[in-house]
Amino acid sequence: MSEVWWGDFVRAVHLLAPESADVTGIKELLCLPVSGPAPGSPRRAGEESATAAATCPAPIVIPPAAQAEGPEPAPVPARDAKHSLAAPEAAPSQGYVARLRTTYRDLGDQPPPWHDAVWLQQPGYEPPSPSLPHEPLLAHRTARDILQAALSRPERCGDIDLPALIDRICANRPVGVLPRRPVPTTRFGVRLLLDRGEAMAPFRRDQADLVAAVRALTGRTTAVTWFFAGSPDPARELRCPPGTRVLVVSGFDVLPHTFCDRRAWRRLVGRWRERDVSPVALLPFPEDRVPGWLSELMPTLSWDRTTTAAAVRGVVGAGAR
């Protein structure tokens, strides 16, 4: 038998201070062998002396509420009769281990005996308030329309543009290709560039919701996610296919003492413009706090519940022109 199990047995006997008949019950609870040497043998006598030495009275542990000054609080009845503890009249006649064995064997699927702890229901105890549900920065009813307007770019693949066709014919110009109306599309691909720096740490859950919403809108294979901290790595070349829309989610240098390399952003956006890649910045700040250099570099959107799809179309369309 392992010495650790015997150590647990001796510790339990010392703390519980049971009667002599309950020592066998402690062995059963610890899955120790009950049978031992014959009575009267030297080994059995040594064990009995060790058990008698270990069964010294142990200090009584008083709950925190009972240690306070004042009268002893009245016992609080259990909320359900079938969940109540052992009857008071049965406690003196049974040993502690016997009551413990009965409690754990007979409860079945019922709550444990500490279900109605007295010191948790004392005056002044306040249960912890439940955590508030997470509300994303974009309202549920408008999030899809806002993302559709921010991620799509106009492509002349819709119906024939009759006014443009008539103007061309009236001007006696040849019609090589039929002019068509622009239609917003995301078929060229979408890239998400997420800032995981310290300034954006409070918006981690919002970023996760944003990624899930974009993938639900464009498809898992269309949206690709990149990560950076503060500023893009100059050694890392973020290449995109022509026509890709890049949504940059960052705080840039709106907050003080935030690292943001403006030259790195200008170089990166310049390479994107050469490949017909259009970036859009999404900031968790109001429009009046957006720095001027960023507004000149790319269209900026406010990541807030007051943002509307019409406002996004106006900003993105003005940036495309």
Side-chain angles (χ1 to χ4, degrees), residues 147 151 190-195 207 210-215 223-228 244-249:
L147 293 177
L151 300 176
V190 174
R191 297 292 187 272
L192 294 177
L193 194 57
L194 303 181
D195 187 355
Q207 290 183 358
L210 180 65
V211 173
V214 171
R215 289 180 176 177
V224 179
T225 305
W226 293 329
F227 300 98
F228 69 98
T244 305
R245 175 77 78 184
V246 180
L247 184 64
V248 184
V249 182

Side-chain angles (χ1 to χ4, degrees), residues 18 22 32-33 52 69 95 113 124 155 160 184 200-201 208 243 277 298 301 303:
D22 293 333
L32 296 176
E69 298 181 358
E155 177 67 14
I160 298 176
M200 293 295 292
V277 176
M298 67 181 80
L301 304 175
W303 195 10

Side-chain angles (χ1 to χ4, degrees), residues 6 9 14 16 36 75 81 83 94 101 103 106 115 122 156 164 174 176-178 189 204 232 241 284-285 288 308:
W6 284 115
F9 166 72
H14 173 71
L16 299 179
H83 298 161
Q94 297 181 358
R101 187 191 305 111
T103 300
D106 298 343
H115 181 68
Q122 295 300 320
R156 293 191 175 276
V177 180
L178 291 178
R204 292 290 175 86
F285 301 102
D288 56 355
T308 61

Side-chain angles (χ1 to χ4, degrees), residues 6-311:
W6 284 115
D8 296 338
F9 166 72
V10 174
R11 188 180 298 106
V13 172
H14 173 71
L15 294 178
L16 299 179
E19 301 175 0
S20 58
D22 293 333
V23 176
T24 303
I26 295 178
K27 290 184 177 181
E28 293 180 356
L29 292 175
L30 295 178
C31 300
L32 296 176
V34 180
S35 60
S41 62
R43 182 180 177 185
R44 181 61 177 269
E47 291 184 0
E48 291 179 355
S49 61
T51 304
T55 55
C56 58
I60 301 176
V61 180
I62 304 176
Q67 296 178 0
E69 298 181 358
E72 183 179 359
V76 179
R79 281 175 287 187
D80 195 348
K82 65 180 181 180
H83 298 161
S84 60
L85 302 177
E89 60 272 13
S93 61
Q94 297 181 358
Y96 181 85
V97 178
R99 297 197 306 273
L100 187 64
R101 187 191 305 111
T102 303
T103 300
Y104 280 95
R105 289 185 179 179
D106 298 343
L107 280 179
D109 297 334
Q110 301 177 10
W114 54 86
H115 181 68
D116 297 306
V118 176
W119 53 84
L120 293 183
Q121 300 183 12
Q122 295 300 320
Y125 170 75
E126 297 181 0
S129 58
S131 58
L132 298 177
H134 174 67
E135 292 292 339
L137 293 179
L138 296 180
H140 291 285
R141 63 181 183 277
T142 59
R144 184 178 181 87
D145 295 337
I146 293 175
L147 293 177
Q148 179 70 34
L151 300 176
S152 60
R153 57 180 300 166
E155 177 67 14
R156 293 191 175 276
C157 57
D159 298 336
I160 298 176
D161 191 355
L162 293 180
L165 179 60
I166 293 174
D167 293 342
R168 184 170 298 182
I169 294 175
C170 294
N172 289 328
R173 290 183 297 175
V175 181
V177 180
L178 291 178
R180 296 186 176 273
R181 295 183 179 275
V183 177
T185 179
T186 58
R187 67 184 182 92
F188 296 102
V190 174
R191 297 292 187 272
L192 294 177
L193 194 57
L194 303 181
D195 187 355
R196 290 302 179 93
E198 183 179 357
M200 293 295 292
F203 305 99
R204 292 290 175 86
R205 296 182 62 182
D206 298 283
Q207 290 183 358
D209 293 342
L210 180 65
V211 173
V214 171
R215 289 180 176 177
L217 177 65
T218 63
R220 293 184 177 272
T221 58
T222 305
V224 179
T225 305
W226 293 329
F227 300 98
F228 69 98
S231 297
D233 187 1
R236 183 182 179 185
E237 187 174 359
L238 304 177
R239 292 189 175 182
C240 305
T244 305
R245 175 77 78 184
V246 180
L247 184 64
V248 184
V249 182
S250 176
F252 296 94
D253 56 355
V254 175
L255 296 178
H257 310 292
T258 303
F259 172 74
C260 180
D261 191 351
R262 300 183 180 183
R263 294 183 179 180
W265 281 112
R266 291 191 175 97
R267 288 194 299 266
L268 179 60
V269 173
R271 292 196 300 266
W272 283 343
R273 300 287 187 190
E274 295 175 358
R275 298 180 58 87
D276 193 22
V277 176
S278 55
V280 176
L282 185 64
L283 296 84
F285 301 102
E287 297 179 0
D288 56 355
R289 297 188 62 183
V290 177
W293 69 269
L294 183 61
S295 302
E296 298 175 357
L297 191 61
M298 67 181 80
T300 59
L301 304 175
S302 178
W303 195 10
D304 190 71
R305 302 181 70 86
T306 58
T307 303
T308 61

